[in-house]
Amino acid sequence: MGTSRGASTAILCMAALLVVISTISTTSAQELTTTFYDQKCPSLFAIVKQQVQIAVKAEKRMAASLVRLHFHDCFVNGCDGSILLDDAPGIVTEKNIGGNNNSARGFEVIDTIKSILECACPNTVSCADILAITSRDSAVEVGLTESYPVYFGRRDSLNSSDSIVNDFLPSPAFNYAELKNNFHNVSLNETDLIALSGAHTIGRVRCQIITATTIDDTNINAVYRAQLAKECDPALFDPITTLKNLDLKTPDKFDNNYFKNLRRNEGILTSDQTLQSTPGINVDIVKDYAQNKENFYRDYGLSSIKMGNIKVLTGNKGEIRKNCRFVNPVPSIKLPTDPRVASE
Ligand code: HEM
Ligand SMILES: *[C@@H]1O[C@H](CO)[C@@H](O)[C@H](O)[C@H]1NC(C)=O
Ligand SMILES: *[C@@H]1O[C@H](CO)[C@@H](O)[C@H](O)[C@H]1NC(C)=O
Ligand SMILES: *[C@@H]1O[C@H](CO)[C@@H](O)[C@H](O)[C@H]1NC(C)=O
Ligand SMILES: *[C@@H]1O[C@H](CO)[C@@H](O)[C@H](O)[C@H]1NC(C)=O
């Protein structure tokens, strides 16, 4: 009896080992899959969906902020969760640099999702993957009626990429050629540029940006610019805390009004309006998305999947962070460098 139990234990261990070996060989293929968490963390989908619903119910804009976090993660040295890291010894956070400074937000929602996941399936779901699924669920929550599959298997970076944030995040002052280059730099083409820019159908922009880019851009409707100049007058309004809607028609709905706005020359950023005002195939793509919402939705999903593949860490690269703000092991004393942490 002792021997038979020993033998069956050995068989079980071999079976476990085989599972481990087959897992290693599939993940080292550097390919993300839609089924990655189906066995390892089946509750992931319900947890993220529910937390996104709660966060968006509390504040509509949060959907936009969460969509943007995944973009800012992916463009800067790949979708590796680096944007979530706070300052720590050897780490300079990306949060206060360039396009993220006074702007990237939603970190507390990611923290909540991560802490629930650490109870449900400890050491399993990467922060980079949480950003990818949270972005999708946020868009769906506010109107993207044609969902898309999220691919998983990313791992988290061991460092941040603060020094290159400004090299990789596109500027709202960019012209079409600059935007095209910036996207080509991360293997995204003009269709991707235009479809993903459609995320500006939700969310807000600071007056600081509008004053610097929109007010003097003659591609943009003069009446609209005059109105924005008044509403963003730096003598009357704080340029950082005063916000305008990116989509002046339906600011909190993930629809195709962004493209209709562009065709009336009511894009709010220079980088938005140039997608319509620069001659080229881009004009046809904008027209298509303005006229066929389902084409925009389809391409937004396809381009989001492409963006989610940028320089991902898979297999045994990187790690699964315990706390998205820190590389493992999590410091026992939270460092009060990030005001968002200190105020908790
Ligand atoms: C094409 C180049 C892009 C440029 C130059 C750009 C620039 C900007 C700027 C300047 C803001 C306002 C930030 C602020 O004032 O705080 C903004 C907001 C936003 N961006 Fe973009 N963006 C681009 C592409 C994208 C992409 C690809 C996505 C996602 C797929 C995206 C999603 C968003 C969202 C959702 C917001 C609103 C965020 C919020 O309200 O918290 N953007 N973007
Ligand atoms: C971030 O914005 C603040 C103003 O709120 C400014 O003082 C600081 O220099 C900015 N940081 C960077 C790295 O641009
Ligand atoms: C982060 O680490 C990777 C791998 O060790 C390295 O290639 C990259 O240059 C590092 N990035 C920064 C900003 O230090
Ligand atoms: C392209 O990537 C390089 C780094 O690899 C960066 O220095 C450069 O600024 C990027 N160009 C654009 C247009 O984003
Ligand atoms: C961009 O790439 C997609 C495939 O990912 C392709 O279907 C589309 O036609 C390309 N767009 C352009 C303008 O090349």
Side-chain angles (χ1 to χ4, degrees), residues 24-228:
I24 289 173
S25 60
T26 49
T27 53
S28 63
Q30 311 276 315
E31 287 277 325
L32 304 182
T33 64
T34 57
T35 53
F36 192 79
Y37 294 116
D38 284 2
Q39 310 297 323
K40 291 192 239 220
C41 192
S43 54
L44 165 68
F45 300 90
I47 290 170
V48 172
K49 189 174 178 201
Q50 185 193 37
Q51 290 306 312
V52 165
Q53 275 170 354
I54 291 170
V56 172
K57 200 165 184 190
E59 188 203 14
K60 270 271 174 168
R61 182 191 177 193
M62 191 51 76
S65 306
L66 293 170
V67 165
R68 190 168 182 236
L69 275 189
H70 180 48
F71 158 53
H72 281 204
D73 185 32
C74 292
F75 266 56
V76 181
N77 208 22
C79 316
D80 61 359
S82 62
I83 191 175
L84 301 173
L85 291 173
D86 283 343
D87 279 334
I91 303 280
V92 180
T93 183
E94 300 175 17
K95 293 176 182 177
N96 304 325
I97 297 171
N100 292 333
N101 195 21
N102 300 310
S103 185
R105 62 199 292 282
F107 300 109
E108 299 77 8
V109 178
I110 303 297
D111 289 340
T112 303
I113 291 171
K114 178 62 169 173
S115 60
I116 296 170
L117 287 171
E118 284 306 294
C119 291
C121 0
N123 307 313
T124 304
V125 184
S126 69
C127 298
D129 279 346
I130 293 173
L131 288 175
I133 183 172
T134 302
S135 176
R136 192 270 311 265
D137 286 1
S138 295
V140 168
E141 184 59 24
V142 296
L144 175 65
T145 50
E146 200 179 308
S147 189
Y148 59 91
V150 178
Y151 286 71
F152 298 109
R154 301 169 189 82
R155 290 168 62 88
D156 298 323
S157 71
L158 301 171
N159 58 16
S160 66
S161 311
D162 61 292
S163 57
I164 61 169
V165 167
N166 288 330
D167 295 333
F168 284 90
L169 289 184
S171 158
F174 273 0
N175 63 31
Y176 191 76
E178 290 169 323
L179 291 169
K180 195 168 128 177
N181 266 336
N182 177 266
F183 273 62
H184 276 165
N185 228 359
V186 288
S187 307
L188 296 176
N189 67 24
E190 289 171 76
T191 310
D192 301 317
L193 164 63
I194 296 158
L196 291 170
S197 291
H200 288 176
T201 185
I202 53 174
R204 312 285 179 264
V205 52
R206 287 162 294 162
C207 275
Q208 185 180 49
I209 306 273
I210 292 171
T211 308
T213 66
T214 312
I215 302 302
D216 299 319
D217 185 341
T218 53
N219 284 333
I220 300 170
N221 176 293
V223 176
Y224 184 42
R225 281 190 288 133
Q227 179 200 332
L228 288 170

